[in-house]
Structures are given as structure tokens and as C-alpha cells.
Amino acid sequence: MNLVFLGAPGTGKGTQAVRLAKEYNSKHISTGDLLRAEMDKGSELGLRVKDIMARGSLVSDDIINTVIENGLEAGTSYILDGYPRTIAQAEFLDNFFGKMGEKLSFVINFILSEEEIIKRLTGRRKCRKCGKDYNLYFNPSSKGDDCEACGSVLYQRPDDKKEVIINRLKVYNEQTKPLLDYYTKKNILKNIEARRPIDQIFKDLCKVIQD
Ligand code: AMP
């Protein structure tokens, strides 16, 4: 089973992808996480994408398709989170899965208002050391600016600043939203209302898969 998690930034795709991957023994691939890991390593790819990501724009289809091409193998079940984000990427993925003898089972579209997205993203914090996620509004650390789990300092992603979020939403509306139509035509799009407790959303996702 191969799934794509679609939706604007901040709709909770990553949180659900991690959980679902555990439940169904799938591999969670977040292209954003892969690119951030390259930046942390200081690799050539990381340096190439750093400014683009900081602005909230998309890295080129060629670069991201190569990342996917190198990261996916036949016979594994994937949850793709944050990929594809353009029609060209979606076409590449169809082609690539076809060559591997795989196919895309479903595309889950996470729906949330822009107002809620902005609140969630501006409040998002992460521990530098252990990676634990927090949110100032919904899930604050009991240790303030420090991580409850390991005591290290929490940080805000540079692209979670308000002005960058506005650009990320614009980019989503212009370049990623057309994928809704693309996958509706293929009859594999499932909508999920994302303004609900994490457990409820997870239950719905499991139901979609079991059905
Ligand atoms: P994310 O963590 O999914 O919000 O991604 C963070 C940033 O990584 C995005 O704003 C883009 O700059 C870049 N990125 C991640 N996935 C893609 C993709 N599929 N296509 C182009 N850029 C991407």
C-alpha cells in the first residue's frame, strides 16, 4: 500500500504519517525532513536548497524527484508526506511507481482553514536535540523554552515565521492545490477534516484504509 498525504503546511500530515506508518508497517517519507537533514549535514544539496526553503518556496521538481528516485525501492509500503507538490512531481511519481511495478493506493487530503494553519504553524516548536514536537498554543512544554524530555532548548523553524507562512500558503494554493483535481480524476482522493483531535483523525484514516 502506498499513500500520499496532501494538504497545506500545518494541517497535521506529519503527525498522522508517523503514527500510521507504525500501525501499518510502512515507511514514512517526508521530503521536508529529508531536505532539512541535508542542510544539517551541510551537504551540497543542503546548501542548494537552504535559501529556497527559508523563503517558503518550492525546490525544483528535478531536485526533489531525484531525492524520491534515490529514496524509494520496490516492495516497500510508503506514506509520502509533502510529496508530490506539483503536477510535474505527481506525473513523475506515477511514472516511477509504474516502472517499479507499484501503484498509488490513495491520496489523503487534510483540510484546515488558513486561520487555523497560521496559528498552528506560528506556535510550532521543536527540540534541537531529541526532535520532540511542541506547540505554544496546543501542546506547550511544561519547561517553557526547554524540552520536557531532554532539557535542550526548543527552536522555531525559520519557515514557521508569519511572513514565510503566508508565502508557503500562496505557493500551496498556486502549485499544489491543482493536485486535488488531478487525483479526484483518478478517483483516489479521500478528504479528512483536520480540525479535530489527533486520535479521531487517526481512527478515520485507519477506517479509510480498511474500507
Ligand atoms: P515541509 O516540511 O513539508 O513543510 O517542507 C519544507 C520545505 O521543503 C518546503 O517549503 C519546500 O521548500 C521544501 N520541499 C519539501 N517537499 C518539497 C516538494 N515535494 N517539492 C518542492 N519543495 C519541497
Side-chain angles (χ1 to χ4, degrees):
M1 177 185 69
N2 294 301
L3 301 178
V4 160
F5 277 13
L6 202 62
T11 49
K13 303 186 296 292
T15 307
Q16 295 293 341
V18 169
R19 232 175 127 170
L20 207 72
K22 252 194 211 145
E23 181 80 14
Y24 287 95
N25 207 10
S26 302
K27 195 165 173 197
H28 170 214
I29 301 264
S30 154
T31 40
D33 284 350
L34 291 177
L35 295 175
R36 278 184 288 278
E38 291 296 324
M39 285 193 318
D40 289 347
K41 276 194 283 183
S43 71
E44 197 193 321
L45 171 60
L47 291 174
R48 274 174 79 188
V49 301
K50 193 171 177 215
D51 290 345
I52 302 169
M53 286 179 74
R55 283 198 303 275
S57 301
L58 295 185
V59 310
S60 76
D61 291 330
D62 281 353
I63 290 182
I64 208 79
N65 287 339
T66 306
V67 168
I68 286 290
E69 200 167 19
N70 294 335
L72 265 54
E73 54 191 28
T76 304
S77 169
Y78 289 102
I79 300 178
L80 300 179
D81 159 18
Y83 180 94
R85 264 168 147 112
T86 64
I87 296 281
Q89 291 177 20
E91 288 171 348
F92 177 88
L93 183 66
D94 284 344
N95 232 315
F96 184 58
F97 270 155
K99 276 194 268 177
M100 286 202 302
E102 298 278 346
K103 76 177 183 62
L104 191 50
S105 317
F106 292 115
V107 175
I108 312 279
N109 177 39
F110 288 71
I111 301 172
L112 195 63
S113 72
E114 290 205 350
E115 190 192 349
E116 184 74 12
I117 287 173
I118 291 169
K119 188 163 184 198
R120 283 193 188 183
L121 289 179
T122 49
R124 199 155 72 166
R125 297 290 183 274
K126 202 178 185 75
C127 174
R128 258 198 206 289
K129 199 168 165 205
C130 73
K132 191 167 172 7
D133 290 308
Y134 296 91
N135 193 292
L136 299 185
Y137 305 112
F138 311 109
N139 175 31
S141 166
S142 58
K143 290 193 180 163
D145 292 338
D146 296 330
C147 177
E148 279 171 6
C150 74
S152 291
V153 74
L154 305 182
Y155 78 102
Q156 182 181 38
R157 267 170 56 171
D159 59 348
D160 278 347
K161 301 250 166 28
K162 182 133 185 217
E163 58 283 10
V164 185
I165 293 170
I166 302 295
N167 188 43
R168 288 164 72 197
L169 288 172
K170 184 167 171 275
V171 166
Y172 168 78
N173 284 320
E174 289 173 0
Q175 302 193 54
T176 308
K177 230 175 175 178
L179 291 179
L180 298 181
D181 209 31
Y182 180 88
Y183 288 124
T184 299
K185 284 187 182 137
K186 291 185 181 285
N187 217 10
I188 53 171
L189 189 82
K190 308 275 177 196
N191 288 311
I192 286 276
E193 182 50 64
R195 196 180 179 185
R196 290 178 305 145
I198 290 175
D199 287 348
Q200 264 184 34
I201 297 173
F202 183 66
K203 255 194 201 156
D204 273 11
L205 284 173
C206 292
K207 193 164 179 298
V208 165
I209 290 165
Q210 279 150 21
D211 286 353

